[in-house]
Amino acid sequence: MSDMVARSETIWAYQFRVVLLGDSTVGKSALLRRFTDGCFLEVSDPTVGVDFYSRLIEISPGTRIKLQLWDTAGQERFRQSFLHVVTWAEEARLHVAPRHVSFALVGQKCDLEEHRQVPTEEASNFARLHKMPFIEASAKNGKNVEKSFVMLTELIYRLIQSGDIIMDEQWDGIKCGLVPKP
Ligand code: GDP
Ligand code: MG
């Protein structure tokens, strides 16, 4: 076996498709850019259609997950984006059904404490009620950006391990990767 093949076999155990949802200007693109490029732009172009990114996460030594990241666009620009989280989640669930969709709620722009609209406790209670992990992050200063994606990745990985998510070769949401031969 060539070295190339041997190496590619160990690259990732699974690929998860992760779609960023939320009202326009909440900071979806900025969060993704920080996560994939490590940078932040004060001025960013509005996303048109869907942009694609990818990144590997090593969730435990030797276990890498490839995240296929979809950045979505919308024209909506509301003052109360938190109130629309339910709608976004419902839409995603309907779209993915009958397959499983896992959510993580990210309260973005946590560096702007003086402009806070949603108390942490309110968002946290909401997330608990809807059984999603919750975190506050900032693409600007980098706080919890990595953790946001790791949190979701670990959740999905656990559901696969426990058998709550059943692998389905006909679906691209979760794909089994190449694992090293013993
Ligand atoms: P999207 O429409 O959800 O993709 O939002 P963008 O990522 O394009 O961000 C909209 C605006 O918010 C841009 O001007 C960003 O620079 C700004 N922004 C994004 N994330 C943050 C953040 O964490 N903190 C601050 N202060 N501004 C941010
Ligand atoms: Mg965008």
Side-chain angles (χ1 to χ4, degrees):
M1 187 190 298
S2 79
D3 213 32
M4 274 291 282
V5 174
R7 242 182 292 127
S8 72
E9 279 189 331
T10 63
I11 287 180
W12 44 273
Y14 293 100
Q15 175 181 283
F16 300 162
R17 177 176 295 161
V18 175
V19 183
L20 275 85
L21 301 170
D23 290 354
S24 185
T25 73
V26 296
K28 301 180 295 298
S29 301
L31 191 76
L32 260 186
R33 174 152 310 191
R34 170 66 80 182
F35 180 61
T36 55
D37 286 354
C39 65
F40 174 77
L41 305 171
E42 270 313 327
V43 183
S44 69
D45 293 336
T47 314
V48 178
V50 182
D51 280 340
F52 303 95
Y53 301 80
S54 81
R55 223 200 90 175
L56 286 173
I57 284 190
E58 185 157 333
I59 53 164
S60 62
T63 305
R64 280 174 288 272
I65 309 286
K66 181 180 176 185
L67 299 183
Q68 184 192 66
L69 301 153
W70 288 21
D71 187 17
T72 64
Q75 281 75 50
E76 322 79 6
R77 187 188 287 253
F78 298 113
R79 288 187 60 77
Q80 285 287 328
S81 54
F82 178 63
L83 299 178
H84 297 117
V85 171
V86 166
T87 319
W88 284 111
E90 206 38 53
E91 207 170 298
R93 220 188 287 278
L94 283 173
H95 191 80
V96 176
R99 270 92 177 204
H100 180 93
V101 54
S102 299
F103 295 99
L105 180 63
V106 180
Q108 241 284 77
K109 308 193 187 182
C110 73
D111 56 289
L112 298 173
E113 190 55 54
E114 68 276 22
H115 298 295
R116 176 183 286 278
Q117 300 289 312
V118 184
T120 302
E121 206 187 335
E122 188 183 343
S124 170
N125 287 341
F126 171 91
R128 201 171 314 115
L129 186 69
H130 292 272
K131 298 187 171 55
M132 11 174 127
F134 166 67
I135 200 165
E136 293 187 340
S138 166
K140 186 166 184 174
N141 65 22
K143 186 175 178 202
N144 286 341
V145 172
E146 185 85 12
K147 224 169 158 186
S148 304
F149 291 91
V150 168
M151 191 174 80
L152 179 62
T153 305
E154 286 179 342
L155 168 66
I156 300 168
Y157 186 69
R158 275 200 306 273
L159 291 173
I160 295 173
Q161 301 294 95
S162 66
D164 291 305
I165 293 179
I166 294 159
M167 299 305 296
D168 175 354
E169 281 185 13
Q170 306 302 309
W171 185 45
D172 286 339
I174 298 179
K175 289 210 281 195
C176 225
L178 297 163
V179 286
K181 292 198 177 72

